[in-house]
Amino acid sequence: MTADLRRRVTRLAGPDVDPDRLAGTLAWVVDPARTLAGLRHAVDQQRAGTDVAGALDAVLRPPADHLVAAIAELVGTWLDLGVQVATVGDDAYPAGCRAGWPHVDAPPLLAWRGRPPGDGPTVAIVGARRATGYGTGVAAWLASAVADAGACVVSGGAVGIDAAAHLAALEAPGGTTVVLGCGHAVRYPRPHAGPGGLFDRIVDHGGTVLSEQLPHAPAAPFNVRARNRIVAGLADVVVVVEGGARSGALVTATEAAERGTPVLAVPGDVRAPGSVAPHRLLAEGAGPCTSPSDVLGLLGGATVESPTGSGSERSSDVSVSVLPADVHAELVAAWPRPLLVDDLAARTGRPAAVLLGALTRARVAGETADDASGIRLRRAPR
């Protein structure tokens, strides 16, 4: 390995990451004659009396000359994207994902933008892309309270339930982490991955965008579903809000249950397709989630309480609404479902243009949030 490539690998290495171990793992990853399953098998043969880092170091070798160009291209792409990387043997790698490796299918590398993935209290809030207004409202309610209490909210970055959870936790003390189902260079989903989109906002607010994939790996169904095991590995509690019979949220719940991680499910309308996944989990023994206290109770002593309190007590909450009384009353009555602006206008008799001005002031004040399903209060009504 050239001196220049060594310097660049060192730049790519995240905090508490061994650059030589990273270089050796990259050499294994880009070698077409090797597989990740082969790496796990080789490490397994070295594990007797040895920790993961020591076993990896015994297996990995400095990059061969014929692999240097491929490694340099990979490193350059990640550096251009502002990414850092850790191997499964490094302290920077989340302990929850590493537990049981190589016998569990944890990725040998994790690449992230923003804050390094931590091992603090974490709650996964997952569910359907085609979410209802009720589902996105509940997801945002739970995520806001969890993140206000100092726990990180992790999800998969998809539209629907995932996006509602990420947005609600974005500016709270606990923050939020996205686990991508593609590489960092792939714009998926487009509404979130483009410049200035949700993922950039998460990084700007001190959150994390994480992927196991090489930079240009596509958002193929296998990759998208595979990321659910990482979501489960990061979480201390998993909450399924909505999902169909084949929802990826069920994959996350199954992975969590196999790790001994508590799984909660939000009850829904028995006639709604999105209630199939949570109701199946409830029938199989998952705990019901009907308020943030159900989640925070499972975190127990792991929860880091925000200095400003949790949930509806945070100091940024408004004790007196900036909304007109009738508009506020309609949003309270609809909680946690959002309302479309046209519906609010019809219910209050206010012209849409006047209503939009009031809603803009409320959003700036932190009282309301909006998404594709409409406008809702950011906090549960008192």
Side-chain angles (χ1 to χ4, degrees), residues 6-375:
R6 181 177 295 278
R7 284 193 296 270
R8 300 183 80 194
V9 170
T10 301
R11 283 177 54 204
L12 182 68
D16 301 316
V17 174
D18 184 315
D20 291 330
R21 187 179 302 130
L22 176 57
T25 307
L26 293 176
W28 191 292
V29 168
V30 302
D31 190 339
R34 288 174 166 168
T35 66
L36 298 183
L39 177 59
R40 290 198 301 273
H41 177 74
V43 169
D44 191 32
Q45 303 304 303
Q46 296 286 337
R47 282 301 301 277
T50 308
D51 60 12
V52 172
L56 264 177
D57 293 342
V59 168
L60 299 174
R61 298 289 181 269
D65 291 344
H66 70 284
L67 299 175
V68 167
I71 295 171
E73 181 179 1
L74 173 59
V75 170
T77 301
W78 265 329
L79 288 175
D80 288 344
L81 293 167
V83 165
Q84 290 189 296
V85 180
T87 78
V88 70
D90 293 311
D91 290 340
Y93 191 102
C97 287
R98 181 174 55 234
W101 195 83
H103 300 293
V104 299
D105 184 21
L109 293 171
L110 284 176
W112 69 88
R113 290 197 297 135
R115 179 177 60 186
D119 289 321
T122 302
V123 175
I125 299 177
V126 296
R129 289 175 174 79
R130 295 181 179 178
T132 65
Y134 167 77
T136 56
V138 169
W141 177 34
L142 297 174
S144 177
V146 163
D148 280 349
C152 180
V153 172
V154 61
S155 198
V159 297
I161 297 299
D162 293 9
H166 290 307
L167 283 165
L170 184 66
E171 299 180 22
T176 189
T177 292
V178 175
V179 182
L180 300 175
C182 58
H184 283 281
V186 177
R187 290 190 178 179
Y188 178 85
R190 284 194 173 275
H192 299 161
L198 175 61
F199 298 162
D200 280 354
R201 291 175 62 194
I202 287 172
V203 171
D204 290 343
H205 282 86
T208 308
V209 179
L210 182 70
S211 177
E212 68 173 309
Q213 303 292 342
L214 298 184
H216 296 286
F222 173 80
N223 290 340
V224 172
R225 290 182 74 83
R227 60 98 188 274
N228 293 316
R229 77 194 196 285
I230 302 174
V231 173
L234 291 172
D236 297 298
V237 181
V238 170
V239 184
V240 176
V241 180
E242 286 183 329
R246 301 180 64 185
S247 172
L250 288 172
V251 177
T252 307
T254 299
E255 292 280 349
E258 290 177 351
R259 291 173 173 268
T261 301
V263 176
L264 300 179
V266 175
D269 185 340
V270 295
R271 300 164 298 175
S275 298
V276 172
H279 288 179
R280 176 185 297 177
L281 292 170
L282 289 169
E284 293 174 351
C289 183
T290 59
S291 76
S293 61
D294 294 326
V295 186
L296 296 174
L298 288 172
L299 286 177
T303 303
V304 179
E305 186 72 18
S306 165
T308 56
S310 64
S312 62
E313 298 177 359
R314 197 170 71 169
S315 62
S316 62
D317 289 344
V318 287
S319 57
V320 177
S321 175
V322 301
L323 289 165
D326 55 344
V327 176
H328 183 260
E330 293 294 344
L331 291 173
V332 168
W335 172 265
R337 295 175 175 84
L339 290 175
L340 295 173
V341 173
D342 288 346
D343 289 341
L344 264 176
R347 294 184 186 198
T348 61
R350 293 175 178 271
V354 174
L355 185 58
L356 284 171
L359 291 172
T360 298
R361 289 191 295 274
R363 185 171 64 250
V364 171
E367 185 178 359
T368 62
D370 57 274
D371 56 32
S373 300
I375 310 295

